[in-house]
């Protein structure tokens, strides 16, 4: 049924509205878990449906594409929706024992659902203007989640975050208006057709760069990453996990979708520019990751590294690079969420996020330590864990493209990522055990469960990759062959 395509957007929408009417926090928590569990099952069904029957589309209000709004579920969108819901379910369970009642009572759980509307909608929309709309839904929810608690650092960083995104949103509307004025449509499949017909003249290339600026601000690529370290640092652990795993990845997804479906006719310029921006992003990320001794800042800069790696894979515009980018995107969403939850536990135990003020945590909390270790080596891409296959394919793609400098940067960044994250493990968990005033063993164990689930999923992803590859290959095939997407949406 094509109507199933709308449910990943509709279900959090209904849940968010209903939660506004329930002030009882136990009811909100229970309903949130049930809603996200249902969303996860629906996403699994959607993947199976797309794998069997091909790309699924829904023309909203029965206005046929390209005249109406179209919701499109190809394999890439479906996989990302499933990943989003799994992460959201783990984060919301983690929130029960970490976010605090002062934040919960100010509609934390309804706003959480509203954020998912924006994220799932951005992955599923087939209309460039509605991509802007879902971005705005996502951003408005993120403003609330970021400022909940009202601490000084939150208020300061939220102002910066809002300012950057207001400018980005204005640029987004301008870019959409320019694009519409040139080709006369907003449907992404139809845009691809029209741009192919006119051969991407100079004005389209300029618009492509304008979209890169917009999505680059959202995704935090060089030199547009400046807002991210401070803004994300201000957020409490579950919000940071949600932001780090999902928000920048929506920007990366948007770059991937537009630069494979629409702006692929002048690759000597657009994709070369994308490649150099990606490499610069990786370099900036590794500098930040090794420069800081704050565990939150270290993992935050690893977000920037991952964004660069994924965008670099997309810029290669060959099958190996694109397949690697998709694999690495999903891996990074899962493992970043797990790592942020784990460093949240570390900060709670130690009472600080300063690595120089914590040590020997593994003596009292061995399960936390070894769970972090598995997550750390997975992040670094140690085989056969989930980060390995994606990076290997991206390296293969860069060699096939003859970009040996990019190959060197990708391989070098892996070593720096390993160093930066093992610095946290060695200094935080080993050494002389620190004096812990309040062990909070029961709370820590409850917080550890969702983090362990995400690490287990990452582990299963890496070890069972052979069985998952057909799904990722189908996602890559759609990206590399835009006609598949166009035919499904326009029903040609």
């Amino acid at each position: 049924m094509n109507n199933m395509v709308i449910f990943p957007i509709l279900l959090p929408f209904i849940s968010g509205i209903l939660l506004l009417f329930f002030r009882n926090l136990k009811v909100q928590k229970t309903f949130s878990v049930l809603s996200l569990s249902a969303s996860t099952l629906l996403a699994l069904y959607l993947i199976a449906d797309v794998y069997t029957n091909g790309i699924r589309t829904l023309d909203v209000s029965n206005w046929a594409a390209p005249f109406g709004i179209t919701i499109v579920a190809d394999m890439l969108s479906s996989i990302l929706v499933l990943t989003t819901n799994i992460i959201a379910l783990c984060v919301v369970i983690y929130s029960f024992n970490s976010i605090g009642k002062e934040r919960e009572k100010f509609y934390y759980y309804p706003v959480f659902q509203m954020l998912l509307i924006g994220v799932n909608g951005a992955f599923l929309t087939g209309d460039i203007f509605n991509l802007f709309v879902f971005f705005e839904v996502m951003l408005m929810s993120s403003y609330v989640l970021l400022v909940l608690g009202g601490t000084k650092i939150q208020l300061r960083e939220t102002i910066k975050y809002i300012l950057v995104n207001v400018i980005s949103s204005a640029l987004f509307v301008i870019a959409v208006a320019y694009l519409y004025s040139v080709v006369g449509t907003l449907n992404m499949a139809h845009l691809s057709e029209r741009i192919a017909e006119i051969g991407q003249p100079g004005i389209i290339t300029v618009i492509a760069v304008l979209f890169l600026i917009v999505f680059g601000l959202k995704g935090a690529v060089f030199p547009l990453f400046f807002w991210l370290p401070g803004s994300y640092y201000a957020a409490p652990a579950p919000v940071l996990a949600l932001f780090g795993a999902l928000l920048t990845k929506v920007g990366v997804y948007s770059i991937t979708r537009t630069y494979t479906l629409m702006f692929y006719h002048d690759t000597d310029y657009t994709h070369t520019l994308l490649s150099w921006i990606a490499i610069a992003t990786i370099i900036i990320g590794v500098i930040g990751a090794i420069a800081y001794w704050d565990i939150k800042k270290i993992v935050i800069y690893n977000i920037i590294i991952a964004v660069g790696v994924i965008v670099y894979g997309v810029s290669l515009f060959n099958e190996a690079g694109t397949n690697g980018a998709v694999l690495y995107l999903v891996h990074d969403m899962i493992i970043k969420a797990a790592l942020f939850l784990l460093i949240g536990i570390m900060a709670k135990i130690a009472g600080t996020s300063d690595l120089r003020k914590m040590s020997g945590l593994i003596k009292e909390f061995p399960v936390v330590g070894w769970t972090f270790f598995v997550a750390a080596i997975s992040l670094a891409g140690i085989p056969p864990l989930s980060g390995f296959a994606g990076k290997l394919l991206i390296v293969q793609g860069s060699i096939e493209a003859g970009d040996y400098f990019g190959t060197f940067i990708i391989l070098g960044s892996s070593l720096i990522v390993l160093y930066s994250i093992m610095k946290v493990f060695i200094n935080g968990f080993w050494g002389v055990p620190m004096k812990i005033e309040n062990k909070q063993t029961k709370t820590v164990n409850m917080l550890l469960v969702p983090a362990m689930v995400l690490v287990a999923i990452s582990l299963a992803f890496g070890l069972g990759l052979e069985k998952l590859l057909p799904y990722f290959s189908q996602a890559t095939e759609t990206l590399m062959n835009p006609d598949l997407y166009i035919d499904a949406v326009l029903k040609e």
Side-chain angles (χ1 to χ4, degrees):
M1 288 178 62
N2 283 7
N3 288 341
M4 292 297 293
V5 176
I6 195 70
F7 276 92
I9 302 169
L10 193 60
L11 193 55
F13 175 72
I14 294 170
S15 301
I17 290 175
L18 289 176
L19 286 173
L20 290 172
F21 296 97
F22 296 105
R23 297 302 300 270
N24 187 295
L25 292 178
K26 286 185 178 179
V27 174
Q28 288 194 6
K29 291 175 181 180
T30 303
F31 195 87
S32 295
V33 170
L34 291 174
S35 172
L36 288 168
S37 299
S39 294
T40 302
L41 293 174
L42 283 168
L44 279 167
Y45 173 82
L46 188 60
I47 286 177
D49 189 27
V50 171
Y51 184 72
T52 304
N53 301 309
I55 298 171
R56 311 300 276 172
T57 66
L58 176 66
D59 296 322
V60 179
S61 300
N62 287 326
W63 281 87
F67 305 106
I69 297 169
T70 306
I71 306 298
V72 185
D74 64 350
M75 186 54 73
L76 176 61
S77 300
S78 304
I79 289 172
L80 293 179
V81 167
L82 174 62
T83 308
T84 296
N85 283 294
I86 290 171
I87 291 168
L89 179 58
C90 291
V91 170
V92 86
I93 293 170
Y94 184 96
S95 299
F96 296 165
N97 297 286
S98 67
I99 198 68
K101 289 186 178 179
E102 288 303 310
R103 289 188 173 97
E104 286 178 324
K105 70 182 183 182
F106 284 103
Y107 303 101
Y108 172 76
Y109 296 107
V111 175
F112 192 104
Q113 295 284 344
M114 296 299 176
L115 182 82
L116 295 181
I117 298 170
V119 175
N120 289 337
F123 290 146
L124 290 169
T125 186
D127 183 280
I128 195 73
F129 183 77
N130 276 286
L131 181 60
F132 164 75
V133 172
F134 284 119
F135 260 108
E136 291 307 296
V137 173
M138 178 184 76
L139 290 171
M140 284 188 288
S141 305
S142 69
Y143 301 153
V144 179
L145 291 175
L146 190 58
V147 82
L148 275 180
T151 62
K152 183 178 179 180
I153 185 174
Q154 283 181 289
L155 294 170
R156 185 185 71 232
E157 293 300 332
T158 301
I159 291 170
K160 183 201 301 181
Y161 182 71
I162 290 173
L163 181 61
V164 167
N165 281 292
V166 165
I167 294 169
S168 174
S169 297
L171 286 172
F172 199 162
V173 175
I174 291 167
V176 169
Y178 276 136
L179 189 58
Y180 184 77
S181 70
V182 174
V183 295
T185 185
L186 295 172
N187 182 282
M188 288 196 281
H190 201 215
L191 278 167
S192 182
E193 270 196 340
R194 288 288 182 87
I195 292 170
E197 287 170 5
I198 61 177
Q200 190 164 335
I203 184 62
I204 295 293
T205 301
V206 171
I207 293 170
V209 173
L210 194 54
F211 273 108
L212 179 57
I213 294 170
V214 171
F215 298 141
L217 267 169
K218 313 283 189 188
V221 302
F222 177 85
L224 307 169
F225 68 93
F226 57 88
W227 58 270
L228 185 140
S231 297
Y232 280 20
Y233 186 85
V239 175
L240 174 56
L242 199 65
F243 284 16
L246 302 182
L247 298 199
T248 52
K249 304 310 184 297
V250 175
V252 171
Y253 164 80
S254 301
I255 292 171
T256 303
R257 180 64 75 190
T258 54
Y259 272 67
T260 55
L261 179 62
M262 292 155 49
F263 306 123
Y264 62 90
H265 302 282
D266 187 17
T267 54
D268 285 345
Y269 183 84
T270 54
H271 287 60
T272 301
L273 175 63
L274 201 60
S275 173
W276 283 107
I277 288 173
I279 289 170
T281 304
I282 296 169
I283 293 170
I284 289 295
V286 298
I287 291 171
I290 61 177
Y292 285 97
W293 282 87
D294 188 292
I295 56 175
K296 289 172 73 173
K297 282 286 179 72
I298 291 169
V299 183
I300 284 169
Y301 272 95
N302 270 286
I303 295 174
I304 297 172
I305 298 171
V307 167
V309 170
I310 298 162
V311 171
Y312 178 75
V314 173
S315 74
L316 295 170
F317 205 56
N318 56 30
E319 187 174 347
T322 306
N323 200 8
V326 173
L327 279 167
Y328 200 80
L329 173 60
V330 175
H331 145 78
D332 194 69
M333 290 171 72
I334 296 168
I335 209 65
K336 282 296 192 313
L339 280 169
F340 280 121
L341 297 185
L342 288 165
I343 64 172
I345 295 171
M346 291 174 66
K348 189 174 186 66
I349 295 168
T352 178
S353 59
D354 189 339
L355 194 54
R356 291 167 293 194
K357 296 179 182 178
M358 63 175 75
S359 65
L361 298 181
I362 203 162
K363 182 179 180 181
E364 296 291 341
F365 300 96
V367 180
V368 176
W370 292 116
T371 303
F372 184 91
F373 176 76
V374 174
I377 60 176
S378 180
L379 178 71
I382 303 297
L385 301 176
S386 61
F388 174 71
K391 274 195 178 176
L392 180 65
L393 285 168
I394 291 171
V395 167
Q396 180 187 332
S398 67
I399 293 171
E400 288 176 4
D403 186 3
Y404 300 109
F405 179 70
T407 305
F408 171 76
I409 293 295
I410 296 294
L411 294 175
S413 71
S414 298
L415 296 175
I416 301 297
V417 167
L418 181 61
Y419 166 77
S420 69
I421 208 70
M422 291 308 293
K423 181 171 76 171
V424 176
F425 178 68
I426 292 167
N427 289 278
F429 288 100
W430 297 102
V432 179
M434 65 181 293
K435 185 179 179 181
I436 302 170
E437 299 293 336
N438 184 6
K439 292 183 182 179
Q440 307 177 81
T441 305
K442 184 179 178 181
T443 302
V444 169
N445 289 338
M446 293 176 75
L447 291 173
L448 185 57
V449 171
M452 288 183 69
V453 169
L454 288 172
V455 173
I457 290 170
S458 174
L459 193 60
F461 181 30
L463 296 175
L465 186 60
E466 187 175 351
K467 292 185 178 179
L468 298 175
L469 271 178
Y471 297 90
F472 285 92
S473 296
Q474 186 173 328
T476 303
E477 184 184 9
T478 306
L479 293 175
M480 295 304 297
N481 185 2
D483 288 339
L484 295 173
Y485 187 97
I486 294 167
D487 292 346
V489 173
L490 302 181
K491 299 174 178 62
E492 294 183 348

